[in-house]
Each structure stands twice: as C-alpha cells, then as structure tokens.
Amino acid sequence: MKRRFTKMHGCGNDYVYFDCMEQKFPEPEKNAVWISDRHRGVGGDGIILICPSEVADAKMRIFNIDGSEGRMCGNGIRCVGKFLYDKGIVHKTELAVETLSGVKRLSLQVEDGAVTSVTVDMGPAELVPEKIPVHLPGERAVGAPLEVDGETYAVTCVSMGNPHCVVFCGDPDAVELEKLGPRFEYHPAFPERVNTEFVSVEDSHTLHMRVWERGSGETMACGTGACASVVAAVLNGHCPKDKDVTVRLRGGDLSIRYTDRTVWMTGEAKIAFEGEIEL
Ligand SMILES: N[C@H](CCC[C@H](N)C(=O)O)C(=O)O
C-alpha cells in the first residue's frame, strides 16, 4: 500500500508525518523503526501521526525511533499546527491538538499564507516525583543527588507530559552523550525511562542545551526538554520566572516562558520535503 508522507522539523528535530485524518496507519510501533532509519528508510527522529479527534482539531501520536510511543512532543506539535493550516485542514490560527498528555492550545504565526512559527501552551510543569515518574525522595527533585555510572549528579526532574531529567554542567558539548545518555535513559530511578538534558547557563535569560531523548538518542532539539530545562533553571535560581528564556539547541533556538499557570514555548516549524513510501 502506497502512503504519502511529509518530512517536517522544528530546530532540526525531524519526524516523518502521516495524514491519518481519513486513513488509519498500520502498526506504527513496527513501521516507525524502519521509516526512521536514515539509511534504509525516510530518516527521522521518529514518526508522527495526525489523526481525527473528538475533543480538538486533531490528535497527535508520536513514535520514537525505537517504536516506543511518546506522550508529548514539543517540536512535533508545532509542525502538526503548521501541517493542519498549510494543508487547508483548518482555516484558523488558534488551534487545539489532543495528545496523550492532554489537549494543547496553539497560536500560529503566518506569513504569505504559510505558518512560520508557533506558540504552544504546554500546560503546567509537573514536579511531584511519582508523577514524573522518578524514584527520588521528597515533594520535588530539585538538585537531587543521583548516582549514574559511579558519578553523583545533581538532577532536577520535571514532567512536561513526558519525563525529563535536567543536569546543569559547565559545557554540554563536552559531555560524552553517546555513553552517558543511555545510562540515564535506562537508570532504575526512571521506571518509564527518561529524556535527559545537559544544560549550561549563559546568562539569566539564555541556556545552552543538549539532549539524549528516550527512544531516539541525541536529537538536534527537544521542545519538551527545552521547557523542562527552563523550569529547572528557575527552580535552581539561574533564571527568573515569567520571563522569556532563550534555549540554544544544536538545531536552533526556542523561546520558553515558565509561569505559575503554564509553560509557553515558541519556535519554528518547517517542511523539508514530501514523498511516498510502500507500507
Ligand atoms: N522522546 C520523547 C518524545 C519526543 C519529545 C521531543 N522530540 C520534543 O520535541 O518534545 C519521549 O519519549 O518522551
């Protein structure tokens, strides 16, 4: 069966998108693995299905490179907003997209009839350890000691609908991510695995971040991870609340604002190319 796809990315965090508004997608957990393969498939950090919803304009389902289903994807949801508007599926710039972590509201910025960037109300940051989930004591894990591979790290754990472990360090580019990333991802403290961000503080409104994503490895950017990093920076006294913080990622910049009610994320959404595969 031939199936059209749209390759999109936000700051280089690239997924293969499928319009499932009228046609289901078969075995996403299995097909995500070969489609994401950068040598044998289309190539990407996973696949994203755009499906009908009874409570929003559409429903987003995201599958990582290893076929595991993510509960939320920040870069992905911005591209879903772009897809819905640019393809004429919706004709408005204020949208709602259903995810496994609830309905998120999007504001689309449009230039010459196409979406260039999107602001997402990501919902409130979750800090209670058992809701992240992480097996650490106390009401929240902020700068908590965690031994990983014989070293003790100060970790701040946040859920943005998916689990994150933020580690502040001097130089994220000096971290041996290929070695350390999986040690955090599969650490027994994280019963559902974890996305891990290594972050340096450039100034009170600028962070530099690299990420090892659960199920996908290092990616060029992580929207939920950028949100978690700003939340962690505020909780650790590096950045102010209620102000825009720029997160510099390998693939580009995101603007994040952490408030008591919610976390706001603004960033690009781009189409790279379209094509067709045989399923
Ligand atoms: N790997 C993540 C899903 C993708 C999140 C990331 N790409 C983003 O932009 O938020 C997880 O399994 O929780």
Side-chain angles (χ1 to χ4, degrees), residues 5-265:
F5 69 81
T6 302
K7 184 73 191 304
M8 305 181 77
H9 74 90
C11 303
N13 184 204
D14 59 335
Y15 292 90
V16 185
Y17 291 74
F18 294 92
D19 180 346
C20 302
M21 298 301 274
E22 293 171 7
Q23 188 184 9
K24 284 189 180 297
F25 189 88
E27 299 180 285
E29 294 83 356
K30 178 175 80 86
N31 285 312
V33 177
W34 76 267
I35 292 170
S36 302
D37 187 306
R38 296 189 188 279
H39 302 287
R40 298 177 182 82
V42 176
D45 292 325
I47 68 171
I48 287 183
L49 310 183
I50 301 170
C51 311
S53 167
E54 291 178 5
V55 297
D57 295 295
K59 178 175 182 179
M60 172 180 80
R61 293 187 70 189
I62 177 234
F63 296 84
N64 295 305
I65 290 175
D66 68 356
S68 62
E69 183 165 10
R71 297 182 52 79
M72 180 46 196
C73 181
N75 288 314
I77 204 168
R78 298 199 314 274
C79 290
V80 169
K82 176 177 177 63
F83 185 94
L84 292 169
Y85 183 91
D86 288 12
K87 299 289 185 184
I89 297 169
V90 300
H91 305 285
K92 53 185 179 178
T93 57
E94 301 297 317
L95 305 186
V97 175
E98 181 186 357
T99 76
L100 290 182
S101 292
V103 175
K104 309 297 177 185
R105 301 207 170 275
L106 285 61
S107 293
L108 312 180
Q109 290 86 49
V110 176
E111 286 174 28
D112 302 329
V115 171
T116 52
S117 69
V118 181
T119 297
V120 185
D121 177 344
M122 297 287 282
E126 176 58 70
L127 302 175
V128 175
E130 52 266 24
K131 292 184 179 176
I132 292 176
V134 60
H135 298 317
L136 283 173
E139 290 178 7
R140 47 175 58 177
V142 177
L146 182 71
E147 186 175 329
V148 180
D149 212 19
E151 292 277 328
T152 298
Y153 295 83
V155 301
T156 300
C157 299
V158 180
S159 173
M160 290 306 302
N162 57 355
H164 292 272
C165 175
V166 181
V167 181
F168 290 99
C169 62
D171 179 8
D173 295 331
V175 174
E176 279 187 275
L177 211 45
E178 290 293 330
K179 173 175 178 280
L180 204 49
R183 300 286 200 285
F184 275 86
E185 179 181 3
Y186 291 93
H187 193 287
F190 301 103
E192 294 178 9
R193 295 190 285 164
V194 74
N195 301 286
T196 306
E197 290 80 23
F198 295 90
V199 181
S200 62
V201 181
E202 294 190 6
D203 56 41
S204 64
H205 55 273
T206 313
L207 303 178
H208 173 41
M209 178 193 126
R210 277 177 79 197
V211 60
W212 182 269
E213 282 202 33
R214 172 179 65 174
S216 291
E218 180 168 19
T219 61
M220 299 296 279
C222 179
T224 51
C227 293
S229 297
V230 171
V231 171
V234 170
L235 295 174
N236 284 276
H238 301 310
C239 296
K241 214 172 194 178
D242 301 318
K243 298 281 186 194
D244 289 339
V245 176
T246 298
V247 181
R248 290 184 41 249
L249 302 132
R250 287 187 66 186
D253 293 353
L254 291 173
S255 179
I256 310 294
R257 175 180 293 213
Y258 174 34
T259 73
D260 283 333
R261 187 186 74 75
T262 191
V263 180
W264 298 96
M265 171 189 65

